[in-house]
Amino acid sequence: MQKPLIIAPSILAADFANFGAECRAVEDQGADWVHVDVMDGHFVPNITFGPAMCAAIRPYIRGIMDVHLMIAPVDPYIAAFAASGADIITAHIEAGPHIHRTLQAIRNTGKKAGLALNPGTGIDAVPALLDIVDLICVMTVNPGFGGQSFIHSQIEKIKSLRQMIGSRPIHIEIDGGVTVETAPLVVAAGADVLVAGSAVFKGGSANNPAPYGANIRAIRAAVGA
Ligand code: DX5
Ligand code: ZN
């Protein structure tokens, strides 16, 4: 059975001075989840925000707050992001020496655990993690910035992961360069969660949110969802 398509706009492409209203606007316009990109200037060459910001926007999000941690080390901050109201906490396999422990620590907070894989990372470690992961985030750009071009070589990885997952209740999330052109490719390969920053927030604002809705509907239409 085809899983329902989940669209998770990344607020990295929203107005940083207006996050609360942006979250509310994009949900009102049809977003399923809100994707929150946390960057430390160390694991990735950019800095965004931390758990205090996540806690501040939490009251403006009715649905799922999907927190993508691009930080190393990650373990010391899991409790703070859990307390900030995240529903899903995703950590990178490249960010620490013990990803199984990290995923366990996330699950132990009662949150869903996500595993992110950079474009240059293989999937050999994934079978040993399937029992402890709720979401696998396939990065289709190198993490750090919005608005980059989709890396097509990741399509084969998505197909392999979909096969590996079988009937387990694990999401495959795609992050980076998702557009009306690339969305159908990743959904056909087996993805069910699409993160999209620029492709959702382009042309609109919290005061003029209709373009967000049009952009979200265009992505759904492109994949036939
Ligand atoms: C990249 C972030 C992405 C990014 C996606 O490091 O993890 O979530 O915001 O942005 P677009 O959709 O513009 O590629
Ligand atoms: Zn992300």
Side-chain angles (χ1 to χ4, degrees):
M1 198 190 81
Q2 181 86 22
K3 286 190 168 195
L5 182 71
I6 293 166
I7 300 202
S10 163
I11 59 166
L12 191 60
D15 176 0
F16 271 47
N18 209 10
F19 276 139
E22 290 275 46
C23 291
R24 188 160 282 169
V26 84
E27 273 195 333
D28 287 346
Q29 292 295 320
D32 300 296
W33 297 358
V34 175
H35 184 84
V36 182
D37 285 310
V38 176
M39 303 186 186
D40 66 352
H42 166 75
F43 179 66
V44 290
N46 192 9
I47 301 177
T48 54
F49 35 71
M53 220 289 296
C54 292
I57 64 172
R58 175 72 260 190
Y60 296 88
I61 300 171
R62 286 187 298 267
I64 300 291
M65 185 160 89
D66 174 31
V67 175
H68 179 191
L69 299 181
M70 287 161 273
I71 64 175
V74 63
D75 292 357
Y77 301 100
I78 290 170
F81 283 100
S84 80
D87 297 289
I88 304 169
I89 299 177
T90 295
H92 273 258
I93 198 166
E94 307 86 359
H98 300 292
I99 188 65
H100 191 282
R101 172 180 291 153
T102 299
L103 295 168
Q104 257 179 340
I106 295 170
R107 281 261 186 100
N108 285 342
T109 66
K111 308 299 182 177
K112 301 250 189 237
L115 168 71
L117 304 170
N118 278 336
T121 300
I123 59 174
D124 293 359
V126 176
L129 301 170
L130 288 175
D131 289 341
I132 199 164
V133 78
D134 301 294
L135 173 150
I136 300 174
C137 174
V138 178
M139 294 303 303
T140 40
V141 299
N142 283 301
F145 302 95
Q148 303 181 81
S149 298
F150 182 86
I151 301 174
H152 283 263
S153 61
Q154 302 307 300
I155 299 276
E156 285 308 313
K157 188 190 283 183
I158 299 165
K159 288 183 188 165
S160 305
L161 287 169
R162 176 46 69 201
Q163 251 189 339
M164 203 180 266
I165 287 170
S167 58
R168 294 174 182 84
I170 300 175
H171 294 292
I172 298 184
E173 174 178 79
I174 307 306
D175 192 1
V178 171
T179 63
V180 288
E181 286 81 29
T182 58
L185 308 177
V186 298
V187 170
D192 66 302
V193 182
L194 305 184
V195 174
S198 347
V200 166
F201 284 96
K202 69 177 179 198
S205 69
N207 291 328
N208 172 33
Y212 299 166
N215 294 336
I216 290 169
R217 286 191 297 278
I219 294 170
R220 289 197 205 280
V223 305

